Amino acid sequence: MDGKAYRKTKRVIEKIKKEWSLEVEENPTNCLVVCNAGLTTGTTYEELAEFFEKYGPLQNLLLLPDKSYSFIEFCEATSACKAYQEVHSNLSLPSQNNVLYLAYIKSNPKIKISPLNAWAILQ
């Protein structure tokens, strides 16, 4: 990973470790954190799903209020690995100019909230 990609990814990884107590993995898993693609960057659920579905079926996609990153869970680790290899520090979403940085995580955050209160609780 080049220096810029490493610095950008490391900054978000430190944030998610602190905020969500997530474990970052060096080896491929089926879960990825996607840096530069969150609700604060204007990313939509539909755009993110469409962009990453070409690498394999998605099991879960999580965008959170006031976050510049998102979480993707593929059905299989091989799909996440393919996405990582092609997207990390190379590609951006069609609607944005920001290159995406990816990192493997052990699992997506577990959030148990009522959809009716989601925005109030997460702010």
Side-chain angles (χ1 to χ4, degrees):
M1 178 179 334
D2 72 31
K4 182 178 179 181
Y6 175 78
R7 285 189 311 276
K8 293 249 183 195
T9 307
K10 183 180 178 194
R11 187 174 31 168
V12 173
I13 287 171
E14 293 306 316
K15 248 188 209 182
I16 66 163
K17 279 182 178 179
K18 185 177 177 181
E19 292 177 12
W20 304 104
S21 299
L22 294 177
E23 293 182 45
V24 176
E25 299 288 322
E26 296 217 8
N27 295 318
T29 66
N30 65 322
C31 297
L32 294 169
V33 61
V34 184
C35 311
N36 286 344
L39 291 175
T40 61
T41 65
T43 303
T44 65
Y45 180 90
E46 293 80 11
E47 180 181 30
L48 204 60
E50 185 178 318
F51 185 82
F52 280 98
E53 281 176 336
K54 61 185 157 204
Y55 302 105
L58 303 178
Q59 188 165 323
N60 193 10
L61 194 108
L62 184 59
L63 287 101
L64 300 167
D66 299 322
K67 302 299 177 199
S68 62
Y69 54 84
S70 53
F71 299 96
I72 295 180
E73 183 177 357
F74 286 91
C75 292
E76 297 179 9
T78 54
S79 300
C81 187
K82 201 180 334 178
Y84 183 93
Q85 290 172 345
E86 290 190 31
V87 175
H88 179 68
S89 75
N90 291 316
L91 300 177
S92 60
L93 293 172
S95 70
Q96 298 176 11
N97 292 328
N98 298 331
V99 173
L100 301 176
Y101 299 101
L102 308 177
Y104 295 108
I105 52 177
K106 192 168 191 163
S107 64
N108 283 346
K110 304 297 183 230
I111 299 176
K112 296 180 183 179
I113 53 176
S114 163
L116 299 175
N117 297 336
W119 296 105
I121 290 172
L122 292 172
Q123 291 184 358

